Amino acid sequence: MLSIEQRFDHSAYVSMTMEFRCNLKCVHCMIEGTMDYLEPQSRQKFDELLAYNREHQKWSGLILTGSEITLHRDLPELAIAAKRSGFKHVRIQSHGMHLGKLEYCTKLIGAGVDEFFISVAAADAESHDSITQVQGSFQKTLQGMENVDRWEHTISITNTVVTKKSYKQLPQVVDALAHLKNLAQMEFWFYWPMSGKDDKSLLVSHLEMLPYLQEAVIKAQALGRRVEIKNFPQCLLGDFKHLLVNGQPQLFIDPVFWREFEKNGFYQCKHRENCQSIECLGLNSAYIERFGWEEEILVPQYNG
Ligand code: SF4
């Protein structure tokens, strides 16, 4: 088993997208327009990855992902095969609803899944369900996380996408999950629309969102959680700038996804040439179109 810090080393993990169906309709979904035609990785590719890793021992952890991986009928078998091939940890990325059924949760954990990356859209049922557009989803997700928490060897990680609909609730998201013992890390992903425009009007300005983010980080850290922030100007994070982690494990996904991803137009900043931040993604096209370049509030970093 890896130490807790190693379990958050993105270079030790590899992701495979095995399922592109989903039964939520999150308003912030970044692949809703592409889900219908993106192809999941085949079982043959999956088996090839296992064989490669058995030989080269490149990664310790496998992440099974897609739109909603628990809709993949063979998920337990995939986890069993991954463990047999030598992966120490198997993580799923999920909305967590199906884990609310204890029998299914037990089956997955028995198959070797020991890490659960769960999307939590907001802090209460009304807000969460209005974002996922499925009534009852918050309760099922919370039940799923509580079920996972019954096993001592599991860890969970949450991901909250920060939009106009969720940003004021970030501290309350931390509170709502405070009772979970195995929640090791909370991630806050500043929304990107996979488009050059904020077509759904979900973006919120950095400075408007920042106090809520800071409060959430302080609360999460007080509970002993690790925190990662994604897609936020590093220079605005002050004492929390080390929490900006935009890196991800190597991802095997339909190449068409990257064509869509490029529409975001990351890495734009008026200070880019003077800034030595290696982690910052700068601004993206939709943000600039909505709020401008904000060069007067952004400050070039001189120490990476
Ligand atoms: S000045 Fe620009 S590139 Fe540098 S940290 Fe700030 S937003 Fe990122």
Side-chain angles (χ1 to χ4, degrees):
M1 191 180 285
L2 300 179
S3 72
I4 202 77
E5 282 308 313
Q6 287 171 313
R7 290 171 88 166
F8 294 103
D9 173 4
H10 293 309
S11 67
Y13 281 71
V14 59
S15 291
M16 283 215 107
T17 44
M18 300 299 293
E19 175 62 61
F20 274 116
R21 292 174 298 163
C22 189
N23 50 356
L24 292 185
K25 291 173 282 194
C26 299
V27 292
H28 57 244
C29 181
M30 296 167 195
I31 56 167
E32 64 173 352
T34 53
M35 228 186 292
D36 293 341
Y37 58 84
L38 287 177
E39 288 288 335
Q41 301 297 292
S42 64
R43 181 62 198 245
Q44 186 187 340
K45 285 244 174 71
F46 177 82
D47 289 338
E48 285 169 7
L49 179 92
L50 298 194
Y52 175 86
N53 204 47
R54 191 185 293 115
E55 186 179 344
H56 299 281
Q57 304 283 306
K58 184 172 178 186
W59 303 286
S60 306
L62 174 66
I63 301 171
L64 296 168
T65 185
S67 300
E68 178 44 44
I69 191 63
T70 59
L71 293 177
H72 195 299
R73 198 188 46 201
D74 299 332
L75 181 57
E77 285 71 34
L78 298 180
I80 289 168
K83 290 300 292 258
R84 278 201 189 125
S85 78
F87 277 102
K88 292 187 177 66
H89 299 286
V90 179
R91 182 182 303 174
I92 60 165
Q93 292 189 331
S94 171
H95 55 43
M97 287 201 304
H98 301 147
L99 303 167
K101 291 184 190 137
L102 187 56
E103 192 183 342
Y104 181 70
C105 189
T106 305
K107 188 172 183 183
L108 280 191
I109 292 173
V113 179
D114 61 349
E115 300 183 354
F116 296 82
F117 181 97
I118 306 294
S119 301
V120 178
D124 57 58
E126 188 184 348
S127 313
H128 179 100
D129 294 358
S130 81
I131 292 170
T132 64
Q133 302 189 81
V134 172
Q135 207 160 20
S137 57
F138 179 78
Q139 201 47 46
K140 288 180 181 167
T141 295
L142 188 60
Q143 182 64 60
M145 295 193 72
E146 288 171 352
N147 283 345
V148 165
D149 218 42
R150 294 172 181 226
W151 279 265
E152 271 187 16
H153 74 288
T154 62
I155 62 167
S156 55
I157 302 162
T158 56
N159 161 35
T160 301
V161 177
V162 184
T163 68
K164 194 168 81 180
K165 288 181 178 290
S166 65
Y167 77 103
K168 288 185 179 168
Q169 290 208 348
L170 298 184
Q172 287 73 45
V173 170
V174 179
D175 294 341
L177 305 176
H179 60 297
L180 297 173
K181 297 184 305 292
N182 297 349
L183 175 53
Q185 176 158 296
M186 302 189 76
E187 300 190 4
F188 301 102
W189 292 36
F190 197 71
Y191 171 69
W192 59 81
M194 301 288 273
S195 163
K197 289 179 184 259
D198 183 20
D199 301 313
K200 296 191 222 167
S201 197
L202 285 174
L203 281 169
V204 58
S205 86
H206 293 133
L207 287 189
E208 195 175 335
M209 177 270 215
L210 189 57
Y212 299 94
L213 177 67
Q214 288 168 324
E215 189 183 344
V217 171
I218 289 167
K219 285 186 167 207
Q221 290 183 329
L223 290 166
R225 323 285 198 216
R226 295 176 92 265
V227 173
E228 278 191 9
I229 298 165
K230 301 206 184 281
N231 184 35
F232 198 83
Q234 190 172 33
C235 54
L236 297 183
L237 289 172
D239 290 345
F240 298 137
K241 69 180 183 182
H242 60 289
L243 301 179
L244 182 74
V245 181
N246 286 315
Q248 291 284 0
Q250 185 172 342
L251 172 65
F252 287 86
I253 192 169
D254 188 331
V256 173
F257 170 82
W258 296 115
R259 188 187 70 202
E260 297 298 315
F261 186 78
E262 279 173 17
K263 291 179 183 170
N264 288 302
F266 285 116
Y267 292 107
Q268 301 185 64
C269 175
K270 290 281 187 195
H271 302 296
R272 194 83 238 186
E273 283 183 12
N274 300 320
C275 182
Q276 293 172 13
S277 170
I278 43 179
E279 196 62 35
C280 187
L281 298 179
L283 309 182
N284 56 55
S285 299
Y287 189 90
I288 294 165
E289 214 229 10
R290 242 339 263 289
F291 298 106
W293 288 90
E294 296 189 335
E295 64 262 46
E296 64 289 352
I297 62 166
L298 302 174
V299 184
Q301 304 294 286
Y302 295 105
N303 56 1

